[in-house]
Every structure is written in C-alpha cells, then in structure tokens.
C-alpha cells in the first residue's frame, strides 16, 4: 500500500515541475468526496478544476465507459460511428441554437479550433478578447488569454489579438472593425476572478459583431454543463453565439472538448482541421451518459438553488476578510482583502479542497451533485478559516 508520503516523493522526483502542488495524494473519489492514501475524506470544491460537475465516479458514466471500453475504443472520424452519431444528435438537441459540432480533447484545443474556424469563415485575422480572460495555454488560446505571467515567457504570440476591459460595451464596440474575425468572451470569467458578465454586455457584444460581420465566440469551457444554473451560461442572456466552445465537464471528468458552430455558417471545408482522438467513441459514450444525467436530474436547476444558498450564507456571515461574494450558480468567488494562498492550505487542513481565481479570490467549484449537508460543511470551514 502506498502512503501519501511515498506517492508525493515519487511524483516530485519525476514530474515536469510545471505545477505548484498541494501536499496531498488523492487516490479515490465518490460524489463530492475525495480520499487520500490514508483514507482521509475531503469535500471537493475543485471538481477537477471544473471537469467533474457530476462528482467522482458517477455510476451512469462508469457503466457507459465500461461497456464502451469492451466494445470499441478507437475510431477516427474518417469512419462513421454509432456512439458518435448518437452523441452529436443529443448534444445538438441540447444546444440553444442549431449547430454542427467539431469534437476534440480539451478546452485549449476547442478554443484553438474555434479561432481557426473564425479566420477560415471570415477571411480576417483579428480576434478581440477580454482582460482577465482565460482560454488555455496553447499558442492560439494563449494569445487570447490575458494574464501576462502566462503570456510573456512565450512571446511573440499569434498576431492580431487585442484585449479590452471585460464588461465595458463601448470599449468593445471601438475594438471591433472590418478586420475582426471574432470576439471571444467567457459568459462568466472563471480563472480571471469569478466575474459574471454585467447585464446587457453579451447583448452589446452580439451587436458589435453583427455591425462588422465578426463572429461571436463564447467560451463555456468552465461555465458549461449546468455549472451556472442553466445547461449553458449563455442561456441566462438572450444571445445566440456563432460558436460555443465546450470542454471540462462535457464527459464528466474524461478529456473531451467540442466546438458548436451555428448551422447558418454551413459545413466547414473538408480537411481544414482535424484531431486523431476527436470524436472518440469511448468519450462520446461518457459524454452521452453525462448529458443524460445533467438533464434527467435537473442539475442546472440544482446548481442555481445550491449556488444561491451558498452565496447567501457566505454573505450573511459578513466575514471580515471578505470584500465581496459573487458568482453565478455553483461558480462562486470570494474576493478577499489579502492573498488567498494561505487560506487554501487552511481549508485543506479542515478537509475542504478549494481553488484560487487570481491572487485574492477564493473560488468554490463543487460538483453540482454536492449534498446540502456537504455544502453546509463547506460554509462552516470557510467561516472558520476566514474569521
Ligand atoms: C480551463 C479553461 C480553458 C482551457 O481548458 P484546458 O482543457 O485546460 O485546455 C479554456 N477556457 C476556459 C474558460 C477555461 O476555464
């Protein structure tokens, strides 16, 4: 039996070094709980950084993966496949607009594809993104990501990207023009500090795009699949995007991404883009099972109710270390008066795993299946460490 200590020291010896890691070795998960090598339980408010909206080892997903693994795991998109055909029909039926879908393997890869499609479809180079926006770490996605510490070591990045302040419709309108291929926005900025779009902002972005013939790309990698209280966060607004970018919880914790392209843009030219693992039947089976659970168990509605309760409780406590509690559904941020890092460690010691969102924001991203009792335990732990 491995101990946490032996796991940590082995990993530290051989890991890339890219990730500042917490001193905990997770070996098992069930629902909203994770367990370390000694069997200690943690309430998980990280949820695989947003990939585990269904919690850990959801039985419906486990069963679908086991059955498909024994049937067919590899089938590139040069062939048709039953699981992929089924999932494409189910996903497009759940989307808020008629679409064709490109399947891939991660959030950055989905953003990357969406950027290429925007250039391909418009013949223009420009991309307008937002300050504090996060879209991933590959060269194209990184060019849209704002955080200088992620970008600067890798310059020069892809040309013709610009960043405007998030939530300011006039500055966005000024940045969009005849050379703009796309505007790329998150409906709630996740990594950038848990900042929901102000009312009317996404509508204004839609108008700016329409005025200049640019495409509106909405990055729902973190907000998708029920997280904010609707299946997709864009549904809180009346806006129809041209492209919707999905990943994280699409396959309940397995690596998958998708780009939904509005049907009016037509099929893309054959051979213009591709991916070996994209549309993989094992992942499609997992994503089908996950989508069924999101819908049948009304997880978006549960996220709305649980998130409202959580934010209400956190505000009522009037914790002196907290400047503001904000969010949408179960994407919740506490803006602190000081750096968040020591509080993450204190929460871990109390059995709650949480995330930062920038230097001073504590982000709570629990699985949508978290129980009311577990959520109350999270509130108690947060109150204890921030008091
Ligand atoms: C996490 C995230 C990405 C990148 O996804 P990866 O799967 O880590 O590449 C892109 N956009 C948003 C909004 C994200 O939260």
């Amino acid at each position: 039996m491995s101990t946490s200590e032996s796991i940590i020291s082995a990993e530290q010896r051989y890991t890339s070094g890219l990730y500042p890691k917490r001193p905990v070795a997770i070996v098992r998960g069930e629902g909203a709980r994770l367990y370390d090598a000694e069997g200690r339980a943690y309430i998980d408010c990280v949820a695989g950084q947003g990939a585990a909206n269904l919690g850990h080892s959801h039985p419906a997903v486990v069963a679908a993966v086991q059955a498909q693994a024994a049937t067919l795991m590899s089938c590139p998109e040069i062939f048709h496949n039953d699981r992929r055909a089924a999932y494409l029909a189910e996903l497009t039926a759940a989307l808020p607009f008629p679409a064709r879908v490109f399947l891939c393997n991660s959030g950055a890869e989905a953003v990357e594809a969406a950027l290429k499609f925007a250039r391909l479809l418009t013949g223009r180079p420009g991309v307008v993104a937002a300050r504090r926006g996060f879209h991933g770490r590959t060269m194209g996605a990184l060019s849209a990501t704002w955080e200088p510490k992620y970008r600067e070591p890798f310059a020069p990045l892809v040309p013709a990207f610009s960043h405007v302040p998030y939530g300011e419709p006039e500055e966005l309108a000024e940045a969009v023009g005849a050379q703009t291929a796309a505007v790329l926005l998150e409906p709630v900025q996740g990594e950038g500090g848990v900042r929901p779009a102000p009312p009317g902002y996404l509508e204004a972005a839609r108008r700016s795009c329409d005025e200049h013939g640019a495409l509106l790309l909405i990055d729902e990698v973190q907000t998708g699949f029920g997280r904010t209280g609707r299946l997709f966060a864009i549904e809180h607004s009346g806006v129809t995007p041209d492209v919707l970018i999905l990943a994280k919880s699409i396959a309940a914790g397995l690596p998958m991404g998708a780009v939904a392209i509005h049907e009016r843009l037509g099929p893309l030219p054959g051979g213009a883009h591709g991916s070996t693992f994209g549309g993989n039947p094992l992942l499609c089976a997992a994503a089908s099972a996950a989508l069924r659970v999101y819908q049948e168990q009304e997880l978006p509605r549960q996220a709305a109710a649980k998130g409202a309760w959580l934010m209400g409780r956190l505000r009522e406590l009037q914790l002196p270390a907290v400047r503001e509690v904000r969010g949408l559904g179960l994407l919740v941020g506490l803006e602190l008066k000081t750096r968040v890092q020591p509080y993450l460690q204190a929460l871990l010691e109390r059995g709650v795993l949480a995330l930062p969102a920038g230097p001073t924001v504590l982000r709570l991203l629990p699985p949508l299946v978290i129980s009311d009792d577990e959520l109350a335990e999270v509130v108690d732990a947060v109150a204890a460490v921030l008091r």
Side-chain angles (χ1 to χ4, degrees):
M1 247 312 264
S2 301
T3 61
S4 290
E5 202 186 305
S6 70
I7 295 166
I8 291 168
S9 74
E11 209 181 306
Q12 287 306 95
R13 168 67 185 80
Y14 297 110
T15 185
S16 64
L18 289 168
Y19 301 93
K21 292 188 197 237
R22 308 191 194 175
V24 59
I26 300 299
V27 299
R28 188 167 70 80
E30 189 181 349
R33 303 255 174 184
L34 288 171
Y35 297 87
D36 70 12
E38 283 71 36
R40 182 164 182 220
Y42 299 84
I43 301 180
D44 181 18
C45 292
V46 169
Q49 284 174 324
N53 283 3
L54 287 187
H56 299 282
S57 296
H58 191 287
V61 178
V62 171
V65 169
Q66 284 176 336
Q68 188 60 38
T71 305
L72 181 67
M73 280 200 264
S74 282
C75 178
E77 289 228 24
I78 57 171
F79 304 115
H80 296 276
N81 170 259
D82 58 342
R83 289 307 331 150
R84 187 190 308 127
Y87 183 60
L88 288 173
E90 292 155 9
L91 177 62
T92 50
L95 290 170
F97 58 94
R100 293 176 178 274
V101 176
F102 168 71
L103 296 172
C104 56
N105 317 289
S106 72
E109 205 188 327
V111 169
E112 205 70 39
L115 294 170
K116 286 181 70 179
F117 299 161
R119 283 190 170 177
L120 191 66
L121 287 162
T122 63
R124 303 172 180 184
V127 175
V128 179
R131 291 189 197 155
R132 294 203 172 99
F134 183 87
H135 302 287
R137 312 286 203 121
T138 54
M139 290 302 249
L142 186 61
S143 304
T145 292
W146 177 74
E147 176 60 50
K149 87 171 178 236
Y150 296 155
R151 297 164 55 86
E152 278 168 3
F154 304 103
L157 296 175
V158 180
F161 282 64
S162 61
H163 294 86
V164 294
Y166 187 74
E168 311 267 349
E170 290 83 20
E171 304 212 29
L172 180 62
E174 275 170 36
V176 180
Q179 285 306 303
T180 307
V183 171
L184 172 60
L185 295 170
E186 296 161 85
V188 181
Q189 290 191 316
E191 305 295 313
V194 186
R195 295 164 205 279
Y201 181 59
L202 298 171
E203 288 81 352
R206 178 72 272 177
R207 282 193 299 276
S208 291
C209 288
D210 290 344
E211 207 170 298
H212 297 280
L215 301 180
L216 180 61
L217 278 42
I218 295 293
D219 181 345
E220 293 237 28
V221 170
Q222 186 155 158
T223 54
F225 298 99
R227 171 61 57 189
T228 70
R230 303 293 296 261
L231 192 58
F232 303 104
I234 194 70
E235 297 174 276
H236 292 284
S237 74
V239 169
T240 301
D242 298 297
V243 172
L244 196 66
I245 303 167
L246 304 169
K248 293 207 164 112
S249 274
I250 186 171
L254 292 175
M256 186 173 183
V259 183
I261 307 134
H262 198 293
E263 197 168 67
R264 80 176 165 75
L265 296 168
L268 297 168
H273 189 63
S275 160
T276 298
F277 287 124
N280 172 285
L282 184 68
L283 279 293
C284 287
S288 278
L291 184 58
R292 208 168 308 125
V293 179
Y294 291 130
Q295 292 175 322
E296 285 175 3
Q297 313 216 342
E298 296 187 65
L299 286 173
R301 193 187 49 73
Q302 289 196 44
K306 289 170 187 174
W309 182 85
L310 177 61
M311 284 190 274
R313 281 292 296 140
L314 291 169
R315 286 183 187 124
E316 268 165 32
L317 290 170
Q318 302 201 329
L319 297 165
V322 176
R323 214 184 282 285
E324 188 189 15
V325 177
R326 58 176 181 252
L328 195 61
L330 276 175
L331 175 47
V332 173
L334 292 85
E335 175 91 51
L336 307 182
K337 292 178 182 161
T338 57
R339 297 186 70 80
V340 64
Q341 215 59 47
Y343 296 113
L344 295 174
Q345 179 60 30
L347 281 172
L348 184 143
E349 283 159 21
R350 285 181 176 269
V352 171
L353 305 176
L355 281 168
T360 58
V361 176
L362 175 67
R363 181 171 34 147
L364 298 173
L365 210 57
L368 313 184
V369 298
I370 192 169
S371 71
D372 295 345
D373 288 348
E374 286 166 331
L375 217 46
E377 279 183 61
V378 171
V379 170
D380 290 346
V382 168
V385 307
L386 289 176
R387 191 162 269 135

